[in-house]
Amino acid sequence: MSAGGNGAGTREKARLAVRSAGVADIPAIVALTERVYGVDHGYTVEMVTGQIAQFPQGTFVALYEGEVVGYCATFRIDEASAMAPHRWMQITGGGYGARHLTTGDWLYGMEVCVDPRWRGLRIGRRLYEQRKRLCQELGLKGIVFGGRLPGFGRRARRYADDAAAYVEDVRAGRARDRALSFQLRNGFEVIGVLPNYLPSDQESRGYAAHLVWRNPKIDPHAHTRGTARPLPESVRVATVQYQQRRVASFEEFATQVEYFVDIAADYRADFVVFPELFTLQLLSVENAPLSPVDSLLALTGYTERFAALLSELAVRHNINIIGGSHPTRITVGEDVQVRNICYVALRDGSLHTRDKLHPTPNERTWWGIGGGSTARAIMTDCGPIGVMICYDSEFPELGRHLVDQGAMILFVPFCTDTREGYLRVRYCSQARAVENQCYVVLSGNVGNLPGVNNFDIQYAQSCILTPCDFPFARDGVAADTTPNVEQVAFADLRLSDLTVARNDGTVQNLNDRRHDLYTLSWAKQRG
């Protein structure tokens, strides 16, 4: 018989558990940080995405009765950076965990927060123990971070604003601080005080205690080089240089799209990429003499069928599809807008949309297209990816924002009419590959449709670009196409080469950013 009369062999699930954080937890984590820090100071979806993507082993959630009530985020870092004076924004890469080094020999604790409603359950202690276990599993030297001093603010006058004196009194047991005293009881030692660590922390007057926990299983003088985060050995990408031709129906258009998806899948590609606005081909179905705005509105009528087509093809052909872009009518408040939206269909059956953020002057003037307001990386079975639609590639902030979220491949569907316009996109995309040490994949339209209203001339030379360093292709080009000819280009992209370049390359653009001088801050967006 089972105790409690619950029936033989039955067991109640644990009410409180700690596990690794995943993509599905991101909305709950964001909501938790808003409860803890306030709406204006909680993490954004993009920041948590970056924390998880950069170092998935190092993020944890605590769940009570299935609800996320605690969160812990860490990343690996080199000893010199960890032990030097620093600020939170600087050391964490703006809160994205973007300074994660796969070869770092210290674990940096960038965040532990617990829902105020459940602080009596020792959730914080459980999260700290999880950190220690991770540190020992990876064979790292220890854990380092800046610890808050919430008791200092109200006692600052007593200590003549000397935070070091306050920390020494807490360390010696002559004073008590609810955060620092907890850290000391958990085996952390103070190695200094960090001024201006987090200026917004008024309780601590911006100060933090510089704390370390040393892994007892490691020789403190040994140099540890852990393994990199799990990545596919190679990702095969196919970019379609798409020939515009007349079609008599949506079904004929769908047949052409499936042809290229099938080709890419036959060559075992992980991604196939189509150009921006390649659905303009559908204007030839009716070819009514409409104004530019009315033509665009007519295209929005195909949105549901187009999205369903991509989803069905992605699953059937077992491939991830970057579906160029398509004009889509959306409701913003009480207004109806048309956005230029990229549809990304993953082979697991999920469908994601990414708005073009920067409509060109012509898109705004002639077509009335509005710009989106969010830029989030997309988690795929080949790691996080980002999308920059054509003109978006000419704004370096966007590429950096996506890479901070963990993206290692950026996809650029484009639609340009002249060689000059094309080269703007290509040169800027090459710059994004160099400055972010990532791959950038371009896909454009070719061909013209004489007699079709509101369809201009096309110029494209689709390509797959790399950083410029020894592990990569000559000239930073993994694959290229012949200009203005329908073609599919393939390249195998080794994500591990990016890791090597970022941590041990001739130049290390991501690691060498001056976080002490500048930071990239995106406005917090909902939805």
Side-chain angles (χ1 to χ4, degrees):
M1 293 179 62
S2 61
N6 290 326
T10 61
R11 299 177 61 184
E12 291 187 5
K13 292 184 178 180
R15 299 176 67 190
L16 179 59
V18 175
R19 61 162 171 79
S20 295
V23 176
D25 299 313
I26 291 175
I29 293 170
V30 170
L32 169 66
T33 64
E34 291 179 348
R35 291 196 298 273
V36 173
Y37 302 123
V39 173
D40 293 333
H41 299 290
Y43 287 121
T44 64
V45 169
E46 293 87 346
M47 294 167 80
V48 179
T49 298
Q51 293 164 18
I52 294 174
Q54 303 286 357
F55 188 36
Q57 289 173 275
T59 55
F60 306 98
V61 288
L63 298 101
Y64 184 67
E65 301 287 6
E67 178 186 1
V68 172
V69 295
Y71 176 59
C72 170
T74 66
F75 57 90
R76 292 174 63 164
I77 196 163
D78 62 287
E79 182 167 308
S81 299
M83 299 306 171
H86 58 267
R87 299 182 181 184
W88 187 86
M89 288 293 289
Q90 168 195 355
I91 201 76
T92 66
Y96 292 83
R99 295 192 60 187
H100 170 67
L101 286 174
T102 57
T103 56
D105 44 14
W106 283 83
L107 192 66
Y108 195 92
M110 70 172 289
E111 179 62 68
V112 166
C113 63
V114 175
D115 193 313
R117 297 172 297 170
W118 308 110
R119 283 184 176 159
L121 299 179
R122 299 186 177 181
I123 295 168
R125 177 171 296 181
R126 296 170 194 254
L127 293 172
Y128 275 96
E129 289 302 318
Q130 194 72 30
R131 271 185 183 171
K132 291 178 181 178
R133 282 193 289 272
L134 175 64
C135 179
Q136 292 183 336
E137 289 170 2
L138 295 176
L140 304 183
K141 290 185 177 180
I143 303 171
V144 60
F145 65 96
R148 297 185 63 236
L149 303 172
F152 178 61
R154 65 178 183 273
R155 301 173 186 166
R157 182 176 299 178
R158 182 191 312 174
Y159 286 93
D161 292 324
D162 186 348
Y166 172 75
V167 167
E168 175 56 26
D169 270 7
V170 176
R171 190 195 64 78
R174 293 187 292 269
R176 185 181 180 280
D177 183 279
R178 71 172 186 270
L180 180 56
S181 297
F182 168 81
Q183 308 293 358
L184 295 172
R185 288 196 304 272
N186 279 275
F188 288 86
E189 61 178 283
V190 177
I191 61 171
V193 172
L194 301 170
N196 296 314
Y197 181 74
L198 194 62
S200 61
D201 183 2
Q202 295 299 314
E203 281 189 316
S204 306
R205 295 286 181 95
Y207 286 97
H210 200 173
L211 295 162
V212 299
W213 175 84
R214 303 182 192 277
N215 185 352
K217 298 182 179 181
I218 291 293
D219 178 351
H221 303 292
H223 180 65
T224 53
R225 294 179 68 88
T227 57
R229 58 175 160 168
L231 292 171
E233 178 64 22
S234 182
V235 175
R236 180 165 294 175
V237 175
T239 180
V240 177
Q241 188 153 287
Y242 191 85
Q243 173 81 38
Q244 291 289 338
R245 52 177 65 83
R246 286 179 176 271
V247 291
S249 65
F250 180 85
E251 289 69 27
E252 187 176 343
F253 167 78
T255 298
Q256 293 184 18
V257 174
E258 182 168 16
Y259 167 79
F260 288 108
V261 172
D262 187 34
I263 288 292
D266 281 349
Y267 280 84
R268 298 186 180 276
D270 296 291
F271 293 95
V272 59
V273 193
F274 289 91
E276 177 190 25
L277 294 174
F278 77 119
T279 58
L280 284 171
Q281 183 179 28
L282 292 167
L283 289 175
S284 65
V285 174
E286 300 294 339
N287 194 26
L290 302 173
S291 69
V293 171
D294 289 337
S295 293
L296 205 70
L297 290 175
L299 277 179
T300 64
Y302 291 101
T303 299
E304 289 187 11
R305 278 186 286 175
F306 175 65
L309 170 67
L310 295 183
S311 294
E312 190 268 332
L313 292 178
V315 173
R316 174 143 52 94
H317 292 276
N318 190 32
I319 192 170
N320 300 305
I321 302 174
I322 313 298
S325 74
H326 174 71
T328 303
R329 194 186 316 212
I330 66 167
T331 301
V332 181
E334 297 181 356
D335 298 327
V336 175
Q337 294 184 5
V338 175
R339 298 265 179 92
N340 189 356
I341 294 179
C342 177
Y343 289 80
V344 179
L346 302 184
R347 51 186 162 201
D348 65 2
S350 61
L351 183 70
H352 305 261
T353 60
R354 292 297 180 267
D355 295 3
K356 187 173 186 176
L357 301 190
H358 305 90
T360 64
N362 281 339
E363 285 177 311
R364 295 194 302 267
T365 301
W366 295 105
W367 287 346
I369 288 180
S373 59
T374 61
R376 294 173 183 167
I378 299 171
M379 296 295 190
T380 76
D381 57 352
C382 298
I385 64 168
V387 174
M388 303 186 298
I389 303 175
C390 198
Y391 193 32
D392 283 343
S393 66
E394 300 177 31
F395 296 83
E397 298 87 354
L398 177 54
R400 178 56 50 82
H401 186 50
L402 292 166
V403 169
D404 275 346
Q405 296 175 61
M408 303 183 86
I409 307 176
L410 302 179
F411 293 97
V412 181
F414 71 92
C415 180
T416 51
D417 54 354
T418 64
R419 178 173 169 79
E420 291 83 358
Y422 160 71
L423 288 176
R424 285 195 298 270
V425 175
R426 176 156 183 159
Y427 291 157
C428 289
S429 294
Q430 186 76 73
R432 304 296 84 84
V434 170
E435 68 199 14
N436 294 299
Q437 297 180 287
C438 66
Y439 297 114
V440 184
V441 183
L442 281 69
S443 175
N445 296 292
V446 298
N448 310 302
L449 290 176
V452 174
N453 290 284
N454 300 310
F455 195 94
D456 293 328
I457 58 176
Q458 306 295 315
Y459 185 98
Q461 185 179 5
S462 305
C463 55
I464 301 172
L465 306 174
T466 77
C468 294
D469 209 341
F470 288 110
F472 306 103
R474 180 178 179 267
D475 302 329
V477 181
D480 222 339
T481 61
T482 302
N484 286 343
V485 174
E486 186 166 67
Q487 196 171 349
V488 181
F490 293 88
D492 287 337
L493 306 178
R494 292 174 56 88
L495 302 187
S496 57
D497 286 346
L498 296 181
T499 302
V500 171
R502 292 174 175 184
N503 295 328
D504 199 29
T506 305
V507 293
Q508 299 168 31
N509 302 70
L510 289 180
N511 291 341
D512 291 339
R513 287 182 285 172
R514 289 292 304 273
H515 293 279
D516 57 324
L517 295 181
Y518 53 81
T519 187
L520 179 63
S521 178
W522 277 62
K524 190 168 186 178
Q525 299 290 337
R526 297 289 176 183

